[in-house]
Amino acid sequence: MIKGNGASSGIAIGKAFVMPDWEWELPDDVIDVNDLAFEFEKLYEGIRLSKTEIQTIKHDIAEVLGAEESNIFDAHLAILDDPVFMNEVSGIIQRQYKAAEVAVKEVVDKFVGMFDLLDDEYMKDRAIDIKDVGTRLLKHLLGSGEASQPPQDQPFIVVARELTPSQLAHLDPTQLLGIITQLGGTTSHTAIMARAMGIPFIFGVECPSQTGDLIIVDGDEGIIHLQPDDVTIELYRAKKRTWLEYRQKLQRIIGLPPVTLDGRSVRLGANISSLKDLELALSYGASGVGLFRTEFLYMDRHHLPREDEQFEVYRQVAEQLNGKSLIIRTLDIGGDKQLDYLPLPEEDNPALGYRAIRILLDRRDMFKTQLKAILRAGCYGDVKIMYPMISSVEELRRANEVLELAKRELREANVPFRESIDVGIMIEVPAAAAIADLLAQEVQFFSIGTNDLVQYVLAVDRMNEQIAHLYNPYHPAVIRLLKHIVEAARASGITVGVCGELAGDVHALPIWLGLGVHDLSMSAHSILPVKNRLIETTEQHCRELLNQVLACRTSEEIRALLHGKE
Ligand code: PEP
Ligand code: MG
């Protein structure tokens, strides 16, 4: 048995097909100056052929997975049109007299290396797209064919060092059972496609199997069994049946209202970063958006997004929500989220450093621009503003001053906006939790950000793998603090919700219901599992369970109680 990272859930039992790496034989001589024109012709022809091929794949994928998923290949077409990429390739041919294929390989390697170095999973995953396009282009420049294909008409589990979206698109979806790769990530386009296709996918393992070996892939646990015995196979067959029944059940409850057996209704909202996320969330029946992480609007570009650009996105999200609540969080950069065009100083302790509201209050113009865009979008739906990482009343008041300034400027310019917009704060710093009673008197709502709150309460960096085992949301200190925050909010009569990952943990549901929290916001994929749990429990039972949880002395006891294993 080997352990990797599950990026798409489900169980596959079948034979391995080990995909060989493509290998290139590149010319190492410099080219003659008279051959420059030929190299460029070859390059342009390669680009043309690659584009046609990508269009065909896009079309084929649209038929199988729908137009949304096929848009992944637009990113590939964009790389071939990217002036920076193409200028670098042309420069190498023209100035260093290298063959087109050598130039392409060098530029691809350079960009892939750059993206790989970034401490950001999303950007690392973009490296795979560049490699994918580069491989396709090289294939045309060198005139070599596709890598070896899996056996026809037989189901298989693909095992590869890396699987690019194009390679995945070339595999027969009716025969593909599962995917195991050494490289990859949960936000890679390959992972997104695998999830959309419902194919279990594990990455981060060097799987030593040969083509034809029997293997089991457990995408939920990230576990691979090599050459399993009959008992293990039987166990996983049963697990697969249960999993399929569970999936079917989740589909059936999409239309059901999120209400407990004793009639307590709970809002199950979604955390989103883009319009695309929203679409998925709505398809799972999200009751609104409890957290719009706007930083992704600021990333992947060369300058700050203008007010109008932001307004357009916020307006579209608000309109698509059709009256359902939308909480837009103002920019939360710093720490692990950096912007190329807004260099921040190197810090020894980025998580305790210059981030979120601390930056916004220094960069008031940038902050005001975003607030104006949100205020304007407020005319198109039930829009609310939320400040990240507030730790004092002064900070909140200073943020509100900028909000007032934004309103005044809009008013003076006769631009319509939502005057009486609700303002809330994330409770994710212990200081804010401790003075929750004071903060509650100055805002309309709280949203508990358990991801950061747990990190700061336990002094455990959420990005540090070495101490990941200490990052424990079930720690009694966390539970006590949650109770304190909720009670403070209730005493002031304001709404309190949760938008950290703990909101989407089905086992944590009794904590929220027990505490009387009825606004949960989570990643779209958690909505149905949480609803499934919700409609099978009672508020009364959750209260009783919470009382037991509060009496526990260790995280282990709490975990056992919540996971139902005493
Ligand atoms: C949180 O800290 O719980 C949260 C939701 O914010 P983020 O994960 O974006 O830091
Ligand atoms: Mg946070």
Side-chain angles (χ1 to χ4, degrees):
M1 187 185 96
I2 38 183
K3 177 95 180 78
N5 306 287
S8 175
S9 57
I11 287 162
I13 307 169
K15 293 203 169 148
F17 162 64
V18 182
M19 190 177 244
D21 276 345
W22 276 330
E23 282 184 11
W24 311 109
E25 270 190 42
L26 297 172
D28 44 15
D29 302 336
V30 289
I31 54 168
D32 191 276
V33 69
N34 295 321
D35 289 340
L36 275 180
F38 170 74
E39 290 303 321
F40 276 103
E41 259 170 48
K42 196 167 71 180
L43 176 66
Y44 296 136
E45 179 60 5
I47 292 172
R48 195 187 60 76
L49 289 170
S50 301
K51 282 187 175 172
T52 314
E53 224 170 44
I54 295 171
Q55 294 284 12
T56 313
I57 297 178
K58 188 180 165 201
H59 178 260
D60 293 350
I61 288 288
E63 304 233 306
V64 183
L65 297 179
E68 186 65 27
E69 300 306 329
S70 76
N71 289 343
I72 286 170
F73 289 94
D74 286 337
H76 289 200
L77 290 169
I79 295 171
L80 288 172
D81 281 328
D82 185 67
V84 180
F85 182 80
M86 280 306 146
N87 282 345
E88 295 243 359
V89 174
S90 312
I92 294 178
I93 302 175
Q94 218 157 14
R95 285 190 288 279
Q96 300 179 25
Y97 298 102
K98 290 189 176 169
E101 50 271 34
V102 178
V104 168
K105 177 86 170 49
E106 282 185 12
V107 176
V108 167
D109 287 350
K110 177 179 155 187
F111 279 101
V112 168
M114 265 162 44
F115 279 100
D116 264 345
L117 275 183
L118 295 175
D119 191 18
D120 179 327
E121 197 194 345
Y122 178 81
M123 294 314 268
K124 275 190 206 298
D125 290 340
R126 300 291 74 78
I128 301 178
D129 290 324
I130 300 177
K131 232 184 266 182
D132 195 351
V133 175
T135 306
R136 177 174 305 288
L137 186 51
L138 278 172
K139 190 184 76 182
H140 289 298
L141 295 174
L142 290 162
S144 43
E146 295 288 347
S148 77
Q149 293 295 312
Q152 297 265 303
D153 304 325
Q154 268 179 43
F156 61 91
I157 292 169
V158 71
V159 179
R161 200 176 103 78
E162 183 168 35
L163 189 76
T164 63
S166 305
Q167 286 171 313
L168 175 53
H170 278 301
L171 298 171
D172 178 355
T174 62
Q175 304 293 349
L176 179 62
L177 299 172
I179 307 168
I180 302 170
T181 65
Q182 204 177 321
L183 307 178
T186 41
T187 64
S188 67
H189 282 144
T190 306
I192 294 168
M193 280 170 68
R195 285 195 287 270
M197 293 161 89
I199 292 175
F201 175 23
I202 294 180
F203 70 92
V205 277
E206 216 170 319
C207 180
S209 39
Q210 312 280 326
T211 292
D213 285 355
L214 187 66
I215 39 183
I216 295 174
V217 178
D218 181 343
D220 294 270
E221 304 289 336
I223 288 173
I224 300 161
H225 289 273
L226 304 173
Q227 308 281 31
D229 57 24
D230 289 348
V231 178
T232 314
I233 296 174
E234 213 21 74
L235 196 85
Y236 273 88
R237 282 206 179 119
K239 217 172 156 184
K240 186 169 178 171
R241 278 194 296 275
T242 315
W243 186 83
L244 286 173
E245 282 163 14
Y246 176 65
R247 296 283 294 201
Q248 282 163 2
K249 177 159 183 231
L250 292 188
Q251 288 303 314
R252 286 199 301 273
I253 65 167
I254 288 183
L256 294 185
V259 181
T260 60
L261 289 172
D262 51 355
R264 165 59 67 187
S265 173
V266 177
R267 275 183 291 275
L268 301 181
N271 295 348
I272 64 162
S273 296
S274 63
L275 273 162
K276 200 169 167 210
D277 289 350
L278 176 66
E279 221 172 284
L280 185 71
L282 289 175
S283 75
Y284 289 141
S287 58
V289 166
L291 170 64
F292 183 1
R293 289 187 167 102
T294 55
E295 35 288 356
F296 292 91
L297 256 171
Y298 289 71
M299 290 174 158
D300 249 350
R301 48 163 55 235
H302 304 294
H303 56 83
L304 284 170
R306 292 187 311 274
E307 181 189 316
D308 277 345
E309 281 177 74
Q310 296 192 54
F311 163 66
E312 259 317 298
V313 177
Y314 304 152
R315 181 185 62 80
Q316 284 183 45
V317 174
E319 281 185 347
Q320 289 194 23
L321 276 165
N322 208 3
K324 292 176 177 167
S325 155
L326 165 61
I327 299 181
I328 304 182
R329 179 176 74 183
T330 56
L331 187 61
D332 183 6
I333 47 158
D336 59 316
K337 295 176 215 142
Q338 297 283 335
L339 304 178
D340 293 344
Y341 52 88
L342 198 90
L344 298 173
E346 282 265 326
E347 295 177 293
D348 286 341
N349 270 318
L352 298 182
Y354 195 49
R355 45 171 302 204
I357 197 73
R358 299 169 183 180
I359 298 179
L360 294 176
L361 292 177
D362 270 357
R363 310 271 312 217
R364 284 166 60 109
D365 274 345
M366 179 173 92
F367 188 25
K368 192 177 65 189
T369 302
Q370 183 175 31
L371 291 171
K372 281 179 166 176
I374 303 174
L375 284 164
R376 288 170 59 194
C379 297
Y380 298 85
D382 183 12
V383 177
K384 302 177 172 83
I385 293 176
M386 178 157 73
Y387 305 136
M389 231 198 145
I390 291 286
S391 60
S392 67
V393 171
E394 295 91 309
E395 246 169 11
L396 166 63
R397 288 184 183 161
R398 286 179 59 210
N400 276 336
E401 273 167 30
V402 184
L403 178 64
E404 284 313 312
L405 196 63
K407 284 186 181 176
R408 191 176 342 131
E409 288 184 12
L410 289 173
R411 219 176 281 128
E412 281 168 9
N414 270 328
V415 178
F417 68 96
R418 190 185 187 93
E419 180 76 57
S420 58
I421 198 157
D422 276 0
V423 174
I425 55 172
M426 302 265 310
I427 301 286
E428 47 187 351
V429 178
I435 57 162
D437 56 331
L438 306 179
L439 290 165
Q441 290 168 36
E442 309 204 12
V443 290
Q444 278 78 51
F445 66 92
F446 284 165
S447 185
I448 306 176
T450 53
N451 304 342
D452 276 317
L453 189 64
V454 171
Q455 113 163 315
Y456 295 132
V457 169
L458 302 181
V460 175
D461 181 351
R462 68 194 252 201
M463 305 295 286
N464 186 338
E465 282 167 29
Q466 213 174 351
I467 46 168
H469 61 288
L470 297 176
Y471 185 92
N472 192 345
Y474 296 152
H475 192 297
V478 175
I479 313 283
R480 286 183 184 194
L481 210 52
L482 293 174
K483 181 167 180 281
H484 173 78
I485 299 165
V486 175
E487 283 172 355
R490 188 163 313 124
S492 283
I494 65 163
T495 315
V496 55
V498 188
C499 65
E501 285 302 302
L502 203 57
D505 173 357
V506 290
H507 303 292
L509 186 65
I511 301 179
W512 309 126
L513 282 175
L515 287 173
V517 173
H518 307 127
D519 270 279
L520 303 177
S521 190
M522 58 200 74
S523 80
H525 291 285
S526 303
I527 293 177
L528 292 177
V530 171
K531 191 201 271 188
N532 184 45
R533 190 69 186 262
L534 179 79
I535 59 177
E536 285 177 354
T537 192
T538 61
E539 193 174 32
Q540 185 53 34
H541 169 73
C542 293
R543 283 206 196 105
E544 286 160 14
L545 199 54
L546 178 69
N547 280 336
Q548 293 177 47
V549 164
L550 286 166
C552 289
R553 287 165 177 257
T554 68
S555 324
E556 261 326 298
E557 285 166 36
I558 295 177
R559 175 175 300 278
L561 261 178
L562 294 174
H563 284 242
K565 289 176 241 142
E566 274 165 274

